[in-house]
PDB file of all heavy atoms in Angstrom:
ATOM      1  N   GLU A  13      11.562 -29.645  47.519  1.00 97.00           N
ATOM      2  CA  GLU A  13      11.272 -29.213  46.156  1.00 97.00           C
ATOM      3  C   GLU A  13      12.363 -29.688  45.189  1.00 97.00           C
ATOM      4  O   GLU A  13      12.075 -30.085  44.054  1.00 97.00           O
ATOM      5  CB  GLU A  13      11.120 -27.693  46.094  1.00 97.00           C
ATOM      6  CG  GLU A  13      10.602 -27.214  44.755  1.00 97.00           C
ATOM      7  CD  GLU A  13      10.270 -25.731  44.731  1.00 97.00           C
ATOM      8  OE1 GLU A  13      10.451 -25.061  45.773  1.00 97.00           O
ATOM      9  OE2 GLU A  13       9.839 -25.238  43.673  1.00 97.00           O
ATOM     10  N   VAL A  14      13.623 -29.642  45.637  1.00 97.00           N
ATOM     11  CA  VAL A  14      14.711 -30.166  44.806  1.00 97.00           C
ATOM     12  C   VAL A  14      14.514 -31.659  44.561  1.00 97.00           C
ATOM     13  O   VAL A  14      14.715 -32.147  43.441  1.00 97.00           O
ATOM     14  CB  VAL A  14      16.084 -29.897  45.464  1.00 97.00           C
ATOM     15  CG1 VAL A  14      17.196 -30.632  44.702  1.00 97.00           C
ATOM     16  CG2 VAL A  14      16.382 -28.402  45.501  1.00 97.00           C
ATOM     17  N   GLU A  15      14.090 -32.379  45.592  1.00 97.00           N
ATOM     18  CA  GLU A  15      13.840 -33.820  45.425  1.00 97.00           C
ATOM     19  C   GLU A  15      12.773 -34.066  44.354  1.00 97.00           C
ATOM     20  O   GLU A  15      12.890 -35.000  43.546  1.00 97.00           O
ATOM     21  CB  GLU A  15      13.397 -34.435  46.755  1.00 97.00           C
ATOM     22  CG  GLU A  15      14.510 -34.551  47.781  1.00 97.00           C
ATOM     23  CD  GLU A  15      14.009 -35.073  49.121  1.00 97.00           C
ATOM     24  OE1 GLU A  15      12.929 -34.626  49.569  1.00 97.00           O
ATOM     25  OE2 GLU A  15      14.692 -35.913  49.719  1.00 97.00           O
ATOM     26  N   ARG A  16      11.734 -33.246  44.337  1.00 97.00           N
ATOM     27  CA  ARG A  16      10.670 -33.422  43.339  1.00 97.00           C
ATOM     28  C   ARG A  16      11.145 -33.057  41.940  1.00 97.00           C
ATOM     29  O   ARG A  16      10.775 -33.705  40.953  1.00 97.00           O
ATOM     30  CB  ARG A  16       9.448 -32.566  43.715  1.00 97.00           C
ATOM     31  CG  ARG A  16       8.720 -33.029  44.961  1.00 97.00           C
ATOM     32  CD  ARG A  16       7.386 -32.317  45.130  1.00 97.00           C
ATOM     33  NE  ARG A  16       7.525 -30.883  45.343  1.00 97.00           N
ATOM     34  CZ  ARG A  16       7.656 -30.312  46.535  1.00 97.00           C
ATOM     35  NH1 ARG A  16       7.677 -31.067  47.640  1.00 97.00           N
ATOM     36  NH2 ARG A  16       7.762 -28.995  46.646  1.00 97.00           N
ATOM     37  N   LEU A  17      11.977 -32.022  41.837  1.00 97.00           N
ATOM     38  CA  LEU A  17      12.412 -31.528  40.534  1.00 97.00           C
ATOM     39  C   LEU A  17      13.542 -32.370  39.938  1.00 97.00           C
ATOM     40  O   LEU A  17      13.502 -32.731  38.754  1.00 97.00           O
ATOM     41  CB  LEU A  17      12.875 -30.071  40.671  1.00 97.00           C
ATOM     42  CG  LEU A  17      13.563 -29.471  39.438  1.00 97.00           C
ATOM     43  CD1 LEU A  17      12.554 -29.269  38.312  1.00 97.00           C
ATOM     44  CD2 LEU A  17      14.245 -28.150  39.802  1.00 97.00           C
ATOM     45  N   ALA A  18      14.556 -32.653  40.740  1.00 97.00           N
ATOM     46  CA  ALA A  18      15.788 -33.263  40.234  1.00 97.00           C
ATOM     47  C   ALA A  18      15.644 -34.781  40.135  1.00 97.00           C
ATOM     48  O   ALA A  18      16.299 -35.543  40.846  1.00 97.00           O
ATOM     49  CB  ALA A  18      16.969 -32.876  41.122  1.00 97.00           C
ATOM     50  N   THR A  19      14.814 -35.211  39.243  1.00 97.00           N
ATOM     51  CA  THR A  19      14.639 -36.642  38.984  1.00 97.00           C
ATOM     52  C   THR A  19      15.836 -37.144  38.173  1.00 97.00           C
ATOM     53  O   THR A  19      16.599 -36.345  37.598  1.00 97.00           O
ATOM     54  CB  THR A  19      13.360 -36.870  38.186  1.00 97.00           C
ATOM     55  OG1 THR A  19      13.496 -36.193  36.920  1.00 97.00           O
ATOM     56  CG2 THR A  19      12.136 -36.336  38.931  1.00 97.00           C
ATOM     57  N   PRO A  20      16.006 -38.464  38.061  1.00 98.00           N
ATOM     58  CA  PRO A  20      17.086 -38.980  37.201  1.00 98.00           C
ATOM     59  C   PRO A  20      17.005 -38.439  35.779  1.00 98.00           C
ATOM     60  O   PRO A  20      18.028 -38.076  35.179  1.00 98.00           O
ATOM     61  CB  PRO A  20      16.866 -40.493  37.252  1.00 98.00           C
ATOM     62  CG  PRO A  20      16.268 -40.731  38.603  1.00 98.00           C
ATOM     63  CD  PRO A  20      15.374 -39.547  38.838  1.00 98.00           C
ATOM     64  N   ALA A  21      15.795 -38.329  35.243  1.00 97.00           N
ATOM     65  CA  ALA A  21      15.635 -37.815  33.877  1.00 97.00           C
ATOM     66  C   ALA A  21      16.070 -36.354  33.792  1.00 97.00           C
ATOM     67  O   ALA A  21      16.730 -35.946  32.818  1.00 97.00           O
ATOM     68  CB  ALA A  21      14.179 -37.966  33.436  1.00 97.00           C
ATOM     69  N   PHE A  22      15.686 -35.553  34.797  1.00 97.00           N
ATOM     70  CA  PHE A  22      16.073 -34.139  34.807  1.00 97.00           C
ATOM     71  C   PHE A  22      17.591 -34.016  34.859  1.00 97.00           C
ATOM     72  O   PHE A  22      18.191 -33.224  34.118  1.00 97.00           O
ATOM     73  CB  PHE A  22      15.434 -33.436  36.008  1.00 97.00           C
ATOM     74  CG  PHE A  22      15.764 -31.973  36.116  1.00 97.00           C
ATOM     75  CD1 PHE A  22      14.950 -31.022  35.528  1.00 97.00           C
ATOM     76  CD2 PHE A  22      16.894 -31.543  36.809  1.00 97.00           C
ATOM     77  CE1 PHE A  22      15.254 -29.667  35.614  1.00 97.00           C
ATOM     78  CE2 PHE A  22      17.208 -30.197  36.910  1.00 97.00           C
ATOM     79  CZ  PHE A  22      16.382 -29.256  36.311  1.00 97.00           C
ATOM     80  N   MET A  23      18.241 -34.762  35.734  1.00 97.00           N
ATOM     81  CA  MET A  23      19.700 -34.674  35.884  1.00 97.00           C
ATOM     82  C   MET A  23      20.408 -35.119  34.610  1.00 97.00           C
ATOM     83  O   MET A  23      21.406 -34.513  34.199  1.00 97.00           O
ATOM     84  CB  MET A  23      20.158 -35.507  37.076  1.00 97.00           C
ATOM     85  CG  MET A  23      19.585 -35.052  38.423  1.00 97.00           C
ATOM     86  SD  MET A  23      19.959 -33.322  38.828  1.00 97.00           S
ATOM     87  CE  MET A  23      21.741 -33.377  39.006  1.00 97.00           C
ATOM     88  N   GLN A  24      19.910 -36.167  33.957  1.00 96.00           N
ATOM     89  CA  GLN A  24      20.545 -36.659  32.734  1.00 96.00           C
ATOM     90  C   GLN A  24      20.391 -35.662  31.595  1.00 96.00           C
ATOM     91  O   GLN A  24      21.229 -35.612  30.686  1.00 96.00           O
ATOM     92  CB  GLN A  24      19.927 -38.002  32.341  1.00 96.00           C
ATOM     93  CG  GLN A  24      20.324 -39.152  33.261  1.00 96.00           C
ATOM     94  CD  GLN A  24      19.533 -40.418  33.001  1.00 96.00           C
ATOM     95  OE1 GLN A  24      18.842 -40.529  31.987  1.00 96.00           O
ATOM     96  NE2 GLN A  24      19.613 -41.374  33.924  1.00 96.00           N
ATOM     97  N   ALA A  25      19.336 -34.859  31.638  1.00 95.00           N
ATOM     98  CA  ALA A  25      19.085 -33.895  30.557  1.00 95.00           C
ATOM     99  C   ALA A  25      19.906 -32.616  30.704  1.00 95.00           C
ATOM    100  O   ALA A  25      19.942 -31.799  29.769  1.00 95.00           O
ATOM    101  CB  ALA A  25      17.593 -33.547  30.519  1.00 95.00           C
ATOM    102  N   LEU A  26      20.566 -32.403  31.838  1.00 94.00           N
ATOM    103  CA  LEU A  26      21.356 -31.189  32.026  1.00 94.00           C
ATOM    104  C   LEU A  26      22.516 -31.145  31.037  1.00 94.00           C
ATOM    105  O   LEU A  26      23.117 -32.170  30.700  1.00 94.00           O
ATOM    106  CB  LEU A  26      21.905 -31.127  33.454  1.00 94.00           C
ATOM    107  CG  LEU A  26      20.900 -30.903  34.582  1.00 94.00           C
ATOM    108  CD1 LEU A  26      21.604 -30.930  35.929  1.00 94.00           C
ATOM    109  CD2 LEU A  26      20.145 -29.591  34.409  1.00 94.00           C
ATOM    110  N   ASN A  27      22.851 -29.959  30.602  1.00 90.00           N
ATOM    111  CA  ASN A  27      23.985 -29.776  29.698  1.00 90.00           C
ATOM    112  C   ASN A  27      25.254 -30.330  30.343  1.00 90.00           C
ATOM    113  O   ASN A  27      25.587 -29.981  31.476  1.00 90.00           O
ATOM    114  CB  ASN A  27      24.159 -28.283  29.394  1.00 90.00           C
ATOM    115  CG  ASN A  27      25.341 -28.015  28.490  1.00 90.00           C
ATOM    116  OD1 ASN A  27      25.743 -28.866  27.713  1.00 90.00           O
ATOM    117  ND2 ASN A  27      25.892 -26.814  28.588  1.00 90.00           N
ATOM    118  N   ALA A  28      25.975 -31.189  29.642  1.00 90.00           N
ATOM    119  CA  ALA A  28      27.178 -31.819  30.202  1.00 90.00           C
ATOM    120  C   ALA A  28      28.459 -31.262  29.596  1.00 90.00           C
ATOM    121  O   ALA A  28      29.552 -31.690  29.979  1.00 90.00           O
ATOM    122  CB  ALA A  28      27.106 -33.330  29.975  1.00 90.00           C
ATOM    123  N   ARG A  29      28.360 -30.315  28.671  1.00 93.00           N
ATOM    124  CA  ARG A  29      29.552 -29.793  27.999  1.00 93.00           C
ATOM    125  C   ARG A  29      30.309 -28.858  28.938  1.00 93.00           C
ATOM    126  O   ARG A  29      29.740 -27.874  29.433  1.00 93.00           O
ATOM    127  CB  ARG A  29      29.154 -29.062  26.725  1.00 93.00           C
ATOM    128  CG  ARG A  29      30.335 -28.655  25.847  1.00 93.00           C
ATOM    129  CD  ARG A  29      29.893 -28.155  24.472  1.00 93.00           C
ATOM    130  NE  ARG A  29      29.041 -26.970  24.582  1.00 93.00           N
ATOM    131  CZ  ARG A  29      27.733 -26.973  24.381  1.00 93.00           C
ATOM    132  NH1 ARG A  29      27.095 -28.099  24.093  1.00 93.00           N
ATOM    133  NH2 ARG A  29      27.045 -25.855  24.482  1.00 93.00           N
ATOM    134  N   PRO A  30      31.597 -29.121  29.196  1.00 93.00           N
ATOM    135  CA  PRO A  30      32.363 -28.269  30.126  1.00 93.00           C
ATOM    136  C   PRO A  30      32.389 -26.816  29.667  1.00 93.00           C
ATOM    137  O   PRO A  30      32.398 -26.519  28.468  1.00 93.00           O
ATOM    138  CB  PRO A  30      33.771 -28.882  30.087  1.00 93.00           C
ATOM    139  CG  PRO A  30      33.561 -30.284  29.637  1.00 93.00           C
ATOM    140  CD  PRO A  30      32.401 -30.239  28.686  1.00 93.00           C
ATOM    141  N   LEU A  31      32.412 -25.936  30.636  1.00 93.00           N
ATOM    142  CA  LEU A  31      32.443 -24.496  30.372  1.00 93.00           C
ATOM    143  C   LEU A  31      33.891 -24.028  30.539  1.00 93.00           C
ATOM    144  O   LEU A  31      34.334 -23.697  31.639  1.00 93.00           O
ATOM    145  CB  LEU A  31      31.517 -23.788  31.362  1.00 93.00           C
ATOM    146  CG  LEU A  31      31.119 -22.348  31.054  1.00 93.00           C
ATOM    147  CD1 LEU A  31      30.291 -22.277  29.776  1.00 93.00           C
ATOM    148  CD2 LEU A  31      30.324 -21.773  32.215  1.00 93.00           C
ATOM    149  N   GLY A  32      34.664 -24.062  29.466  1.00 88.00           N
ATOM    150  CA  GLY A  32      36.066 -23.689  29.572  1.00 88.00           C
ATOM    151  C   GLY A  32      36.904 -24.816  30.129  1.00 88.00           C
ATOM    152  O   GLY A  32      36.445 -25.952  30.306  1.00 88.00           O
ATOM    153  N   SER A  33      38.160 -24.507  30.450  1.00 91.00           N
ATOM    154  CA  SER A  33      39.101 -25.543  30.905  1.00 91.00           C
ATOM    155  C   SER A  33      39.282 -25.574  32.417  1.00 91.00           C
ATOM    156  O   SER A  33      39.864 -26.522  32.941  1.00 91.00           O
ATOM    157  CB  SER A  33      40.463 -25.324  30.233  1.00 91.00           C
ATOM    158  OG  SER A  33      40.968 -24.034  30.547  1.00 91.00           O
ATOM    159  N   ASP A  34      38.834 -24.564  33.133  1.00 94.00           N
ATOM    160  CA  ASP A  34      38.978 -24.559  34.591  1.00 94.00           C
ATOM    161  C   ASP A  34      38.122 -25.664  35.197  1.00 94.00           C
ATOM    162  O   ASP A  34      36.983 -25.886  34.782  1.00 94.00           O
ATOM    163  CB  ASP A  34      38.534 -23.214  35.173  1.00 94.00           C
ATOM    164  CG  ASP A  34      39.487 -22.088  34.809  1.00 94.00           C
ATOM    165  OD1 ASP A  34      40.610 -22.388  34.376  1.00 94.00           O
ATOM    166  OD2 ASP A  34      39.103 -20.916  34.958  1.00 94.00           O
ATOM    167  N   GLN A  35      38.686 -26.349  36.192  1.00 96.00           N
ATOM    168  CA  GLN A  35      37.989 -27.478  36.803  1.00 96.00           C
ATOM    169  C   GLN A  35      37.752 -27.209  38.292  1.00 96.00           C
ATOM    170  O   GLN A  35      38.606 -27.466  39.129  1.00 96.00           O
ATOM    171  CB  GLN A  35      38.812 -28.759  36.647  1.00 96.00           C
ATOM    172  CG  GLN A  35      38.186 -29.998  37.257  1.00 96.00           C
ATOM    173  CD  GLN A  35      36.834 -30.334  36.656  1.00 96.00           C
ATOM    174  OE1 GLN A  35      36.736 -30.709  35.509  1.00 96.00           O
ATOM    175  NE2 GLN A  35      35.779 -30.184  37.443  1.00 96.00           N
ATOM    176  N   PRO A  36      36.577 -26.651  38.645  1.00 98.00           N
ATOM    177  CA  PRO A  36      36.301 -26.402  40.063  1.00 98.00           C
ATOM    178  C   PRO A  36      35.893 -27.668  40.799  1.00 98.00           C
ATOM    179  O   PRO A  36      35.151 -28.504  40.267  1.00 98.00           O
ATOM    180  CB  PRO A  36      35.145 -25.397  40.018  1.00 98.00           C
ATOM    181  CG  PRO A  36      34.449 -25.669  38.719  1.00 98.00           C
ATOM    182  CD  PRO A  36      35.495 -26.167  37.763  1.00 98.00           C
ATOM    183  N   VAL A  37      36.386 -27.785  42.021  1.00 98.00           N
ATOM    184  CA  VAL A  37      35.999 -28.872  42.923  1.00 98.00           C
ATOM    185  C   VAL A  37      35.366 -28.224  44.145  1.00 98.00           C
ATOM    186  O   VAL A  37      36.010 -27.432  44.840  1.00 98.00           O
ATOM    187  CB  VAL A  37      37.220 -29.718  43.350  1.00 98.00           C
ATOM    188  CG1 VAL A  37      36.787 -30.834  44.306  1.00 98.00           C
ATOM    189  CG2 VAL A  37      37.934 -30.299  42.134  1.00 98.00           C
ATOM    190  N   PHE A  38      34.117 -28.552  44.408  1.00 98.00           N
ATOM    191  CA  PHE A  38      33.406 -27.956  45.536  1.00 98.00           C
ATOM    192  C   PHE A  38      33.391 -28.946  46.695  1.00 98.00           C
ATOM    193  O   PHE A  38      32.878 -30.062  46.566  1.00 98.00           O
ATOM    194  CB  PHE A  38      31.968 -27.598  45.139  1.00 98.00           C
ATOM    195  CG  PHE A  38      31.882 -26.491  44.134  1.00 98.00           C
ATOM    196  CD1 PHE A  38      31.926 -26.760  42.769  1.00 98.00           C
ATOM    197  CD2 PHE A  38      31.781 -25.167  44.543  1.00 98.00           C
ATOM    198  CE1 PHE A  38      31.858 -25.736  41.834  1.00 98.00           C
ATOM    199  CE2 PHE A  38      31.718 -24.136  43.615  1.00 98.00           C
ATOM    200  CZ  PHE A  38      31.765 -24.421  42.248  1.00 98.00           C
ATOM    201  N   ILE A  39      34.002 -28.540  47.817  1.00 98.00           N
ATOM    202  CA  ILE A  39      33.860 -29.313  49.047  1.00 98.00           C
ATOM    203  C   ILE A  39      32.569 -28.856  49.703  1.00 98.00           C
ATOM    204  O   ILE A  39      32.401 -27.674  50.008  1.00 98.00           O
ATOM    205  CB  ILE A  39      35.059 -29.110  49.990  1.00 98.00           C
ATOM    206  CG1 ILE A  39      36.326 -29.680  49.351  1.00 98.00           C
ATOM    207  CG2 ILE A  39      34.800 -29.779  51.334  1.00 98.00           C
ATOM    208  CD1 ILE A  39      37.582 -29.484  50.194  1.00 98.00           C
ATOM    209  N   ILE A  40      31.653 -29.789  49.890  1.00 97.00           N
ATOM    210  CA  ILE A  40      30.320 -29.445  50.394  1.00 97.00           C
ATOM    211  C   ILE A  40      30.071 -30.164  51.712  1.00 97.00           C
ATOM    212  O   ILE A  40      30.422 -31.329  51.885  1.00 97.00           O
ATOM    213  CB  ILE A  40      29.225 -29.808  49.360  1.00 97.00           C
ATOM    214  CG1 ILE A  40      29.406 -31.242  48.873  1.00 97.00           C
ATOM    215  CG2 ILE A  40      29.250 -28.838  48.190  1.00 97.00           C
ATOM    216  CD1 ILE A  40      28.310 -31.736  47.959  1.00 97.00           C
ATOM    217  N   CYS A  41      29.457 -29.452  52.637  1.00 96.00           N
ATOM    218  CA  CYS A  41      29.233 -30.010  53.970  1.00 96.00           C
ATOM    219  C   CYS A  41      28.535 -28.948  54.811  1.00 96.00           C
ATOM    220  O   CYS A  41      28.358 -27.811  54.369  1.00 96.00           O
ATOM    221  CB  CYS A  41      30.554 -30.389  54.633  1.00 96.00           C
ATOM    222  SG  CYS A  41      31.724 -29.012  54.736  1.00 96.00           S
ATOM    223  N   LEU A  42      28.200 -29.299  56.037  1.00 96.00           N
ATOM    224  CA  LEU A  42      27.826 -28.279  57.006  1.00 96.00           C
ATOM    225  C   LEU A  42      29.102 -27.632  57.537  1.00 96.00           C
ATOM    226  O   LEU A  42      30.190 -28.217  57.460  1.00 96.00           O
ATOM    227  CB  LEU A  42      27.043 -28.893  58.158  1.00 96.00           C
ATOM    228  CG  LEU A  42      25.638 -29.410  57.866  1.00 96.00           C
ATOM    229  CD1 LEU A  42      24.934 -29.751  59.171  1.00 96.00           C
ATOM    230  CD2 LEU A  42      24.808 -28.410  57.094  1.00 96.00           C
ATOM    231  N   PRO A  43      29.010 -26.412  58.085  1.00 95.00           N
ATOM    232  CA  PRO A  43      30.186 -25.837  58.749  1.00 95.00           C
ATOM    233  C   PRO A  43      30.672 -26.758  59.863  1.00 95.00           C
ATOM    234  O   PRO A  43      29.911 -27.566  60.396  1.00 95.00           O
ATOM    235  CB  PRO A  43      29.656 -24.511  59.320  1.00 95.00           C
ATOM    236  CG  PRO A  43      28.463 -24.178  58.494  1.00 95.00           C
ATOM    237  CD  PRO A  43      27.843 -25.511  58.131  1.00 95.00           C
ATOM    238  N   ARG A  44      31.946 -26.641  60.213  1.00 94.00           N
ATOM    239  CA  ARG A  44      32.571 -27.392  61.308  1.00 94.00           C
ATOM    240  C   ARG A  44      32.561 -28.899  61.024  1.00 94.00           C
ATOM    241  O   ARG A  44      32.352 -29.715  61.898  1.00 94.00           O
ATOM    242  CB  ARG A  44      31.889 -27.114  62.651  1.00 94.00           C
ATOM    243  CG  ARG A  44      31.599 -25.675  62.961  1.00 94.00           C
ATOM    244  CD  ARG A  44      32.848 -24.785  63.031  1.00 94.00           C
ATOM    245  NE  ARG A  44      33.749 -25.196  64.100  1.00 94.00           N
ATOM    246  CZ  ARG A  44      35.069 -25.354  63.949  1.00 94.00           C
ATOM    247  NH1 ARG A  44      35.638 -25.162  62.770  1.00 94.00           N
ATOM    248  NH2 ARG A  44      35.813 -25.723  64.962  1.00 94.00           N
ATOM    249  N   SER A  45      32.811 -29.253  59.759  1.00 95.00           N
ATOM    250  CA  SER A  45      32.788 -30.662  59.362  1.00 95.00           C
ATOM    251  C   SER A  45      34.146 -31.194  58.939  1.00 95.00           C
ATOM    252  O   SER A  45      34.258 -32.356  58.571  1.00 95.00           O
ATOM    253  CB  SER A  45      31.797 -30.867  58.206  1.00 95.00           C
ATOM    254  OG  SER A  45      30.475 -30.714  58.627  1.00 95.00           O
TER     255      SER A  45
END
């Protein structure tokens, strides 16, 4: 469903304005990676 929804056009239309000054970095993976 994410593949169907998150087209290039959808992603480009997302709000790009930063929310405050904090800069989170998310390490994403399966557990034990």
Side-chain angles (χ1 to χ4, degrees):
E13 189 172 0
V14 171
E15 288 176 317
R16 292 191 296 271
L17 171 70
T19 62
F22 180 91
M23 298 303 295
Q24 288 171 13
L26 291 177
N27 178 26
R29 188 170 61 254
L31 195 65
S33 59
D34 291 344
Q35 180 60 68
V37 179
F38 293 88
I39 294 178
I40 50 174
C41 56
L42 291 190
R44 314 299 297 133
S45 290

